[in-house]
Amino acid sequence: MSSNSTKHKVGLVLIGIGIALLLVASALAYMELLKGVSIPQPPSLESVLYVLAVVTYKVAFIAVIAWAGAMLITRGLQAL
């Protein structure tokens, strides 16, 4: 009985952490959307490549946070 109760509590904690991570990833993505990307004028190849690298880095960072949140939710649901 105690083991079942512990698994249930751990599952709920994992779900809570996963939802929090997904909310953080959504908030970060929304803030980046509002901020936008500025390309200096006139655009040179170096500046375009720099902007592409920054955007790729930000997308990868947000994707990893969202993936971790989704995995925690999945593991939490399996523990219930």
Side-chain angles (χ1 to χ4, degrees):
M1 191 70 146
S2 176
S3 175
N4 235 0
S5 172
T6 304
K7 284 180 71 172
H8 184 73
K9 289 179 183 176
V10 168
L12 290 176
V13 168
L14 288 175
I15 291 171
I17 293 171
I19 290 173
L21 283 175
L22 287 177
L23 290 175
V24 166
S26 299
L28 286 173
Y30 185 68
M31 288 188 301
E32 288 300 322
L33 175 69
L34 291 179
K35 192 185 318 180
V37 176
S38 63
I39 299 176
Q41 296 298 328
S44 65
L45 180 61
E46 291 84 17
S47 65
V48 171
L49 289 176
Y50 173 75
V51 169
L52 181 62
V54 168
V55 169
T56 303
Y57 169 75
K58 289 178 181 181
V59 167
F61 180 72
I62 292 171
V64 167
I65 293 174
W67 172 78
M71 290 303 296
L72 286 173
I73 290 173
T74 301
R75 299 297 181 214
L77 289 174
Q78 288 175 351
L80 290 181

